[in-house]
Amino acid sequence: MMHAFPCGTLPLDFVGTLRARRNEAPREKLATPQQLDAWFVESGMFDAAPGADETDLAIALDLRESVYSLVGARLHGEPLPPRAVAEVNKHAAGLPVTLRLYADGATRTGGAAQGLAALARETVEILGGDDAALLRECSRPECTQVYLDRSRGHRREWCAMKTCGNRVKAATYRARHSGEAGA
């Protein structure tokens, strides 16, 4: 698998395709149309690659950054940026992913625009509803993943325990024990 899905919601995982945003050189996980296609399939949104092209990729990256700016505004209690609101609303009005029922199952197909429309609609549901209060950013300094904290007591600190949580705990353990070794 080329992509990670630690956040539990596709729009927030989509935002996370630009890794380590605060670093001097963030890592772009959607550098080509083929990587965008892979994201759509790996996320379970589509059963087959939608056949994205360079234009679809540019549109997807613009939507991703609009979602990120809206999430950032919600996280910091700031007004939503009007341009980002307009961008998300424009995509949310698009056609849905095509679902077809067959005797042996169902398929989920469509073009990149349909996948982006689904992401935009879910973004509207998250940011316009009660889930907006559950938005958190990962506590690991190098990580910029955003997630919905559905934990009991809302005390979750990391986007995923398997990655960031383990890294932070391992670093804390090493720091604690390296100090003991020199004593």
Side-chain angles (χ1 to χ4, degrees):
M1 235 165 90
M2 183 184 305
H3 299 284
F5 300 89
C7 302
T9 61
L10 290 183
L12 299 180
D13 285 323
F14 190 66
V15 164
T17 59
L18 182 61
R19 301 278 168 79
R21 286 175 177 271
R22 288 186 287 272
N23 289 1
E24 209 170 293
R27 285 192 351 248
E28 179 60 73
K29 301 297 281 182
L30 297 178
T32 67
Q34 294 75 25
Q35 290 175 332
L36 177 60
D37 278 347
W39 190 91
F40 280 130
V41 173
E42 291 172 17
S43 72
M45 187 175 291
F46 292 127
D47 296 326
D53 61 20
E54 291 291 337
T55 301
D56 294 324
L57 178 61
I59 292 167
L61 296 179
D62 190 45
L63 176 62
R64 178 187 70 190
E65 295 311 303
S66 292
V67 173
Y68 182 71
S69 69
L70 293 170
V71 166
R74 280 284 190 246
L75 280 170
H76 299 103
E78 298 169 353
L80 297 178
R83 192 200 78 67
V85 169
E87 183 72 14
V88 167
N89 284 338
K90 176 181 77 174
H91 287 284
L95 293 173
V97 171
T98 303
L99 300 173
R100 288 226 166 33
L101 180 63
Y102 297 96
D104 59 344
T107 62
R108 301 172 63 80
T109 60
Q114 288 169 278
L116 297 175
L119 290 170
R121 279 192 288 280
E122 192 172 345
T123 298
V124 170
E125 289 177 12
I126 291 168
L127 297 176
D130 293 339
D131 283 347
L134 303 177
L135 286 167
R136 305 284 185 275
E137 188 173 49
C138 184
S139 293
R140 187 171 72 91
E142 300 81 28
C143 185
T144 54
Q145 289 283 124
V146 179
Y147 59 91
L148 294 176
D149 182 3
R150 297 187 189 283
S151 67
R152 187 188 324 203
H154 305 292
R155 294 165 42 147
R156 181 173 155 190
E157 295 180 53
W158 304 290
C159 60
M161 187 61 198
K162 287 191 305 188
T163 53
C164 290
N166 281 342
R167 287 179 188 165
V168 170
K169 288 183 176 209
T172 301
Y173 176 84
R174 282 191 304 275
R176 187 172 53 241
H177 286 77
S178 69
E180 292 172 6

